[in-house]
Amino acid sequence: MTFEPVENHKAGGLFVMKCGGSTLAALPDSFFDDLRELQLNGAQPVIVHGGGPAISGNLEKLGIESSFVNGLRVTTEEVLDVVEMTLAGSINKAIVRRIQGSGGQALGLSGVDGRLITARLVANSDEVGLVGEVTEVKAEIVQGVLAMGYIPVIAPIGVDAGGQRYNINADTAAGAVASFVGSPQMIVVTDVPGIMRTLDGRKTVLPSVTVGQIEDLIENGEIYGGMIPKVRAAIDCIQGSVSEVVIVDGKEPRVLSRVLQGEELGTRIIRS
């Protein structure tokens, strides 16, 4: 899907960051110190987060079975209750606490709040259930939070006009938020150094790839599993107002500052 921004906001160092659920617990305090310094120096970070491992753990504790199709969690109403509880509750507030613990200012939201993220069923809902695709992000809510001096921390739960909730892949949600708020750049913070391919028998990080090259890497199996929705979201995002998406390892020292300063880290995904 191609996203059109509600309004194009370029000033103030606005960027969207997606934090992978599997990465969150491993992020060092220095990562949040870096985020605080960026905020103090006028940057406007917007965070969209996942929480897959915590969701899986809570589902297991409750004895609720869960499965995946092409990297997307099959979501029933029962599963969705746990997804919302985990993402909009414990994970969202843990991120807010860590930002504030480093001296930053943050405000936690889910896509349900103020109908921040409007969604509808994905095309293959017969396979994955209540998984949503984004139809609109209210950029004015994000801009309002930023204007008050807070970092918006967004849990990827969407809602439709009738109040039905949807589980939205965090990468997809981040791509939509980036496009609708007009962010020139999206940074995907994960636990891998970037998109990798085998060259001369060794796994090597690709410093830059185009949308066309990504399709080839998916087709030949170099990109697989949970990385597929990550790069698909990047493609959707790039079709909007975003000029590039950078996939980086969150454990790299001062990774956000270095990426924003143009240092070559991770993999930059650019238009063909």
Side-chain angles (χ1 to χ4, degrees):
M1 175 182 291
T2 299
F3 298 110
E4 295 296 334
V6 174
E7 188 177 344
N8 198 4
H9 301 277
K10 296 292 186 184
L14 175 66
F15 71 95
V16 173
M17 181 188 93
K18 186 266 174 175
C19 182
S22 60
T23 307
L24 179 63
L27 286 177
D29 290 342
S30 58
F31 178 90
F32 294 94
D33 293 339
D34 187 31
L35 190 61
R36 177 202 64 209
E37 290 300 321
L38 286 169
Q39 187 182 27
L40 289 174
N41 290 326
Q44 293 186 303
V46 178
I47 298 173
V48 181
H49 66 85
I55 293 169
S56 296
N58 285 336
L59 286 167
E60 186 176 351
K61 287 176 187 175
L62 294 167
I64 301 171
E65 291 188 9
S66 180
S67 59
F68 290 84
V69 174
N70 293 327
L72 297 176
R73 188 184 300 274
V74 177
T75 306
T76 61
E77 281 285 359
E78 186 179 34
V79 169
L80 188 51
D81 283 341
V82 178
V83 169
E84 184 173 44
M85 173 186 74
T86 307
L87 290 180
S90 57
I91 297 294
N92 188 271
K93 302 317 168 194
I95 297 172
V96 170
R97 286 196 304 272
R98 291 202 71 184
I99 292 170
Q100 293 176 167
S102 289
Q105 296 293 327
L107 184 66
L109 299 162
S110 84
V112 174
D113 297 312
R115 288 200 175 95
L116 172 60
I117 300 176
T118 304
R120 64 186 175 206
L121 283 171
V122 293
N124 63 330
S125 61
D126 57 324
E127 294 181 291
V128 296
L130 294 170
V131 174
E133 65 176 13
V134 179
T135 57
E136 183 182 2
V137 175
K138 288 188 176 177
E140 62 270 24
I141 294 177
V142 176
Q143 288 296 327
V145 173
L146 289 169
M148 291 189 296
Y150 292 90
I151 297 172
V153 180
I154 302 170
I157 306 294
V159 66
D160 65 17
Q164 173 63 54
R165 302 165 300 165
Y166 298 101
N167 181 16
I168 302 173
N169 176 270
D171 303 286
T172 303
V177 169
S179 290
F180 274 97
V181 303
S183 169
Q185 185 177 58
M186 184 171 93
I187 302 173
V188 177
V189 178
T190 184
D191 54 0
V192 296
I195 296 176
M196 306 181 76
R197 72 176 307 175
T198 304
L199 295 173
D200 299 325
R202 296 174 57 192
K203 286 284 188 180
T204 304
V205 176
L206 297 175
S208 178
V209 293
T210 66
V211 170
Q213 288 170 332
I214 284 173
E215 293 298 341
D216 291 340
L217 289 167
I218 292 173
E219 189 172 333
N220 67 26
E222 295 272 10
I223 296 175
Y224 59 91
M227 185 60 80
I228 293 176
K230 226 178 281 293
V231 296
R232 293 279 188 209
I235 292 171
D236 283 345
C237 186
I238 287 172
Q239 289 174 353
S241 63
V242 182
S243 60
E244 69 175 17
V245 176
V246 188
I247 298 177
V248 294
D249 186 343
K251 295 187 291 295
E252 282 281 342
R254 298 185 67 252
V255 64
L256 296 177
S257 293
R258 291 162 65 191
V259 168
L260 292 171
Q261 289 165 4
E263 185 173 333
E264 190 175 279
L265 277 175
T267 300
R268 293 179 184 267
I269 303 173
I270 57 176
R271 290 185 176 91
S272 299

